[in-house]
Amino acid sequence: MGLFSKFKNIFKKEEKEDLEAFDKGLEKSRKEFVNKIGILNNKYKKVSPEYFDELEEILIMSDIGVNTVMDFIDKLKKRVKKENIINSEDLKEVIIDEMFIIYVNNEIVVNKINYSDSGPTVILFVGVNGVGKTTTIGKIANKLTKEGKKVLLIAGDTFRAGAIEQLKEWGLRTNSKVVYGESKDPSSVVYDGLMIAKDESYDVVLIDTAGRLQNKVNLMNELDKINKVIGKLIPNAPHETLLVIDATTGQNGISQAKSFKEITNITGIVLTKLDGTAKGGIVLAIKESVNIPVKFVGLGEKEEDLRVFDIEKYIYGLFKDM
Ligand SMILES: Nc1nc2c(ncn2[C@@H]2O[C@H](COP(=O)(O)OP(=O)(O)O)[C@@H](O)[C@H]2O)c(=O)[nH]1
Ligand SMILES: [Mg+2]
């Protein structure tokens, strides 16, 4: 019986479905992690310096940042001493416990979207090509329209061939209006879209952008321009700037987060394709290296596979078989 058999029952009924999505989406990571810990615990029945060396290696391989791993191992060693833990099996519960502590780290974890009190809420999506920006916008539009919100999509990626078509598809599927302009400047498309959003009282505006990071200065200038237009038309907007990162790119994704943090004000991260990696520890690495809250996670390709990030469900998904 796993450590989480009791834990599962404390989730409310409406959260069960969410829990299953995390469970399924983190399967690869969990198998990898739980297997390795199982092998380790068989090799070393007792906790020893060699045990910790190998545990450290396993954690680093799962893409948890190196510094976080070092701190983590230090804390485990202290607890082993203090609580007089001898058997490696008894350390499992402490490992899970300390994982929560790293993420929460005495701060309130803000994963809620900052909705505007009046007028449209504007959410800008940024990130390099192929990470899943347009797909994420479609999935969020799906979620919001189901909640009864009036959603407008703006095709600010006027660069990538097919980007407009892709967004239009999502518009049809989610019954959301799409504003676009071929061969137009992105900020002028954003301008047109926001005028419509105001005139026609939309609740939420989701803005897609192009992610050419080859030239940081260009990208920065473009985002600045877009932000100026948004701020002029809707005070205090954008209410969120979400950076989309592909979990399967590991440390590369972390460097993207660092770069984007330097050029614009990122309020949250969407971590896509967690289902496609065995290195789900990247959530903790993001915490360590950029300290921006993960607000959504992509746990599969289907519309309902995008979920609001929840640390408890995430830890459950990673360790429930342990
Ligand atoms: N497995 C999986 N695939 C995803 C997820 N999110 C996006 N994708 C896929 O990633 C690819 C690129 O997505 P796209 O939205 O076009 O990226 P963009 O260039 O950033 O707009 C598409 O094939 C998506 O179906 C996810 O959470 N899980
Ligand atoms: Mg796109």
Side-chain angles (χ1 to χ4, degrees), residues 36-46 51 88-89:
K36 283 183 174 169
I37 300 271
I39 293 168
L40 181 68
N41 284 5
N42 267 332
K43 189 170 167 191
Y44 303 100
K45 299 278 183 210
K46 308 254 184 270
Y51 173 91
S88 55
E89 275 303 296

Side-chain angles (χ1 to χ4, degrees), residues 133-134 157 160 163 166 208:
K133 290 181 298 295
T134 309
D157 182 356
R160 190 180 182 181
Q166 199 187 348
D208 200 4

Side-chain angles (χ1 to χ4, degrees), residues 105-164:
N105 201 17
N106 297 326
E107 292 165 45
I108 300 156
V109 183
V110 193
N111 56 13
K112 295 266 180 312
I113 290 293
N114 172 29
Y115 286 104
S116 143
D117 297 331
S118 63
T121 296
V122 180
I123 308 178
L124 185 66
F125 291 81
V126 299
V128 304
N129 265 340
V131 289
K133 290 181 298 295
T134 309
T135 309
T136 298
I137 289 175
K139 286 172 173 174
I140 293 182
N142 176 59
K143 189 174 140 72
L144 294 175
T145 48
K146 275 194 181 143
E147 288 170 12
K149 293 201 166 76
K150 202 175 162 188
V151 178
L152 183 78
L153 311 180
I154 301 181
D157 182 356
T158 56
F159 183 75
R160 190 180 182 181
I164 294 175

Side-chain angles (χ1 to χ4, degrees), residues 49 59 68 72 78 81 87 90 102-103 125 143 180 202 210 224 226 229 235-236 244 254 272 274 294 301:
L59 294 172
T68 301
F72 185 73
K78 277 187 193 133
K81 215 170 156 191
N87 298 321
D90 298 335
I102 305 180
Y103 195 84
F125 291 81
K143 189 174 140 72
Y180 58 94
Y202 275 84
D224 273 351
I226 292 174
V229 169
N236 301 322
V244 183
I254 303 288
T272 61
L274 261 177
V294 173
E301 273 178 294

